[in-house]
Amino acid sequence: MMDSSEPPAPLRAQVAVYENERRWIGGGFSKKGLLLTERGPFSSNDGSLSFKSIEEASKVLLGKGWQWQDDDVYGWDCIDAEEERAQAAVAASAAAAAAQDVSLEDDDNDNNDTVDDAADLADAKVCANEKKPSLSSSLTNKLTKKSKKISSVSAIGASVEGWRYSADFSASALQKASTKKSPLHFVRRRRLVRHKIFDQSQFLRDEILRLRNANTVIRRSSTT
């Protein structure tokens, strides 16, 4: 039973921002090449929010009552969205397999309690194991193969630096973004993530201060 005196676990959230660059014929990719009419050097996924620097993005995306998990303003990690989904799928499969193994062990324990002749039950299990692999082994083999397959896809689907290239920043072009650069690709972007934690004490202090200031204004206005 959880001790009610223990403080609740802090809320943790992932924040993503996209780093954008454009190239011109005869030059390389850079943030200085971005057009004034398109998203800035850093932006949200759809470009509705734009930032001139990573420092500005860190300040705006933090939000009231939150603090960054790390103190480094440049503590953003480059994580490709497709790679992250693949890793999450592997983790979910492993968790499901572990839960199923536990369930099978519980079923075996229940069966042992109801069987009178334990020796016959053990012999039957040995025979069954010799004829076919156990369910646990089958699941492990499947997960291993799936993990290798996803790792191979991730290695091919994401460049070393995480950049994805496209003709422009339109939604249709970004959907066809490639990890391989071609002469028809004039823009590129990569996904940066960072984690933040909700600071309940700081949030409450700010709210109390705000209410005190509001009450002070009301009192002054009522006396005049």
Side-chain angles (χ1 to χ4, degrees):
M1 184 176 180
M2 183 179 295
D3 187 359
S4 58
S5 61
E6 294 182 359
L11 297 176
R12 184 172 179 266
Q14 185 186 81
V15 180
V17 67
Y18 285 80
E19 184 178 4
N20 311 303
E21 293 185 350
R22 172 179 283 276
R23 78 172 178 89
W24 295 89
I25 297 177
F29 285 93
S30 72
K31 297 176 180 59
K32 294 181 179 179
L34 293 168
L35 301 175
L36 296 176
T37 56
E38 59 191 5
R39 60 189 67 193
F42 298 90
S43 71
S44 57
N45 183 25
D46 59 1
S48 58
L49 296 176
S50 288
F51 313 100
K52 296 181 180 179
S53 64
I54 193 63
E55 293 89 347
E56 181 186 3
S58 298
K59 183 178 180 180
V60 175
L61 297 176
L62 181 58
K64 187 177 182 181
W66 293 83
Q67 64 180 9
W68 292 114
Q69 184 171 321
D70 55 84
D71 297 329
D72 185 5
V73 69
Y74 300 101
W76 295 82
D77 297 322
C78 178
I79 299 180
D80 186 78
E82 292 185 8
E83 182 180 358
E84 186 176 36
R85 286 193 292 269
Q87 293 175 354
V90 173
S93 298
Q100 190 166 3
D101 286 344
V102 172
S103 177
L104 290 174
E105 290 178 0
D106 292 340
D107 292 342
D108 288 341
N109 292 334
D110 294 339
N111 292 333
N112 290 337
D113 294 336
T114 58
V115 174
D116 295 331
D117 195 343
D120 291 342
L121 178 61
D123 291 340
K125 286 186 176 182
V126 171
C127 294
N129 289 333
E130 290 177 350
K131 292 180 180 179
K132 61 180 181 179
S134 65
L135 181 58
S136 177
S137 299
S138 300
L139 287 172
T140 302
N141 293 335
K142 289 181 180 180
L143 285 175
T144 302
K145 292 179 181 179
K146 184 175 182 181
S147 177
K148 290 181 179 179
K149 182 178 180 182
I150 291 176
S151 298
S152 300
V153 172
S154 299
I156 297 174
S159 61
V160 176
E161 297 180 343
W163 292 107
R164 288 186 172 270
Y165 301 85
S166 59
D168 51 55
F169 288 118
S170 64
S172 58
L174 292 177
Q175 289 179 354
K176 302 176 183 178
S178 173
T179 56
K180 295 183 178 180
K181 179 175 59 176
S182 79
L184 298 178
H185 292 148
F186 295 95
V187 301
R188 69 178 185 177
R189 70 173 188 165
R190 61 180 173 180
R191 182 173 178 264
L192 307 176
V193 300
R194 193 178 180 186
H195 291 89
K196 63 181 182 179
I197 299 175
F198 184 71
D199 187 354
Q200 184 177 7
S201 59
Q202 180 64 40
F203 178 77
L204 291 176
R205 285 195 297 269
D206 293 342
E207 285 299 304
I208 291 174
L209 181 60
R210 184 184 64 81
L211 291 174
R212 286 179 178 175
N213 292 336
N215 289 334
T216 301
V217 172
I218 294 174
R219 290 176 182 175
R220 289 179 179 176
S221 61
S222 61
T223 56
T224 57

